[in-house]
Amino acid sequence: MKISRLVIKNYRSLKDVDVSFAENATAIIGENNTGKSNFLHAIRLCLDVNLSSTYRSLLPHDVHSSVDQKRPFQVLIGVEFSDFEGNVNQEALLHGSQINEDRARIFYRYRPKPVARAELDAGNLQEDQLTRDDYRWEIYGGGDEGVDLADLTWDQDIGASIRFEDLQSYLVVFLTDLRDVETDLKNIRNSPLAKLIKANEISEEEQAALVDVFSGANTEIEKSPTIKAIGKSIAKSIEDAVGPAFQIGVDVGLTEPTFHSIVRSLKLLLTNGAAEKFDPSLNGLGLNNILYISILIEYFNKRVGQNKSAGQIILFEEPEAHLHPQIQMTLYTTLRDLQFQSILTTHSTHITAQAKIASFVSMTNCGANPTSVTTLSKNSDLKPNEREDLERFLDATKSDLLYARKVMLVEGPSELFLIPPLVKKVRGIDLEREGISVVAIHGVHFDIYAKLFSKKGLPKKCAIVADADLEPNDMEEVEDEDIDVELIRPDLQALASDYVGIFLGETTFERELAYRGNLLMLSEAAGELGAPVISKKLKGGHDHLQAFESGTPEYIAVQNKLGASTLNTAKRFGKARFAQVASRKIGHAEFLPKYIDEAVTWLLQ
């Protein structure tokens, strides 16, 4: 059984959410303060019996700011399930909640009470006279299939009431990013180890044998003269403190000789290359997180194997916390391949590099508008083969565009290395502080990336900054007859939209840089790389251009020659290496190419 759809209306920062889940592991991505934690909490309001009912009685700040709370309203959180038919326990859990074959729904509502609704219908109560006392929360299931959850209004009644007892067999485990693993492992109520031991259903004979072991150990300990004396001294101290009427006997031992106390006393002992049987408290936070999650996964697997579960889900807040990048990737891969569902929030590009497009739910801050929540796989502009291409392209570096507030897409490392410091030096604008990420796609296939940026995908600005020739670097060594012009020169202007801006230079990036205001920077870079002749030529060109008026044929001729020299030098030493060195000489830069300047201006609007 899995959650296949989630509808949220008017809850905290989430005004109108309607997303589907296609994968076992779903990654909720987005910048800070877009409502990722609210997304998980909404699921808990609807399904988690361990969440205190205090949280279900909403406060004014739990209602979206656009709602007029002086008039009748509702907060709705609806969950739809699928893949449960044929499982007796899951069918029993969802009995009465089914609305179609292999489709069921459970929904939470916070709205006016039945009495208040009746008074409103009778005209005995005006809509602007409602108070907080006139509202209550309820959990219902099922209802008319013809009434979609997304269209359900506050005054419509559908479905049947769901009792909390009916949800007990559906296990929801919520792991916060700031969880105290050591404390949870020691707490008998929270410890996944204690739950795992219970799930293994140790026989009465084995339990009795363990109790005998502890009883024998206690007996041996009590024989120690010193231990016995300590017990008597404590008993004497109690008698002195409260008097003989309240005296109690005191023995010092390992634990109370019952199976429950044994389970409560058990702890994990770890071994690695440096030590044997050490306490987890000696571990770092990251390893203890993995330890906790691993025990929890084994507990879930045991529940599934015993066929006693009516479903389970793990809700993670930032599972990457304190974890090495490689462990982040392998952990997500593990979650993706499990036989139960997990939904996680993340800021990790290492995780998104491993995830499928179908697993992303993107949350975007749209300024004064409500947070936009989209399922990227539902973007109809993307063809199946293009989604597969994106999954390969979105490595840990390019995945940054999923989290950025605004994006500038460039061809390769030359632009990536030089544009941010050049913009900062010439225009005094720090792109990172403005929430603009520069992402190199290492090619000219901008069309696939551009389809991500739309109202139904990522509703954020994307500026495509490219050379006029649009030829990838490796095309320079290919014979002309081998070049398919239609493939390497796509019509980027056709990609322009409210979210995608196209900004093309007149030639190549290196030639565009070679204006008089940047020649000293380029000269210094060529000199450091070991091209003294070119370095001298560029420096001389800086002085030579002062003799001509900008834009005259003579000026353009000299500039073109200097541009060609710059491009050839970059090719000789490697464009990325040349850009790296030039970025260190950025103090000499005075000129920003027009098309880059226009892209920055558009992004900042």
Side-chain angles (χ1 to χ4, degrees), residues 329-378:
M329 291 187 286
T330 55
L331 172 61
Y332 182 80
T333 302
T334 298
L335 293 173
R336 188 182 61 199
D337 296 337
L338 291 173
Q339 52 188 331
F340 47 83
Q341 199 171 7
S342 59
I343 299 176
L344 56 95
T345 67
T346 183
H347 292 112
S348 171
T349 55
H350 301 287
I351 287 179
T352 50
Q354 295 293 309
K356 295 181 180 180
I357 294 291
S359 71
F360 291 145
V361 173
S362 174
M363 307 186 76
T364 304
N365 187 332
C366 296
N369 298 319
T371 296
S372 170
V373 184
T374 54
T375 309
L376 296 187
S377 62
K378 296 298 183 181

Side-chain angles (χ1 to χ4, degrees), residues 360-415:
F360 291 145
V361 173
S362 174
M363 307 186 76
T364 304
N365 187 332
C366 296
N369 298 319
T371 296
S372 170
V373 184
T374 54
T375 309
L376 296 187
S377 62
K378 296 298 183 181
N379 185 343
S380 57
D381 291 340
L382 286 170
K383 301 174 183 177
N385 62 311
E386 291 175 333
R387 282 197 289 269
E388 293 176 6
D389 287 344
L390 277 172
E391 287 168 1
R392 287 189 291 271
F393 293 148
L394 291 175
D395 58 21
T397 302
K398 292 189 281 294
S399 285
D400 185 41
L401 66 85
L402 297 171
Y403 300 95
R405 178 161 288 189
K406 300 176 182 179
V407 176
M408 179 186 290
L409 292 181
V410 298
E411 290 185 46
S414 298
E415 295 90 341

Side-chain angles (χ1 to χ4, degrees), residues 255-268:
T255 186
E256 177 188 359
T258 65
F259 180 71
H260 180 73
S261 64
I262 292 172
V263 172
R264 189 172 56 204
S265 302
L266 289 177
K267 63 169 58 178
L268 293 167

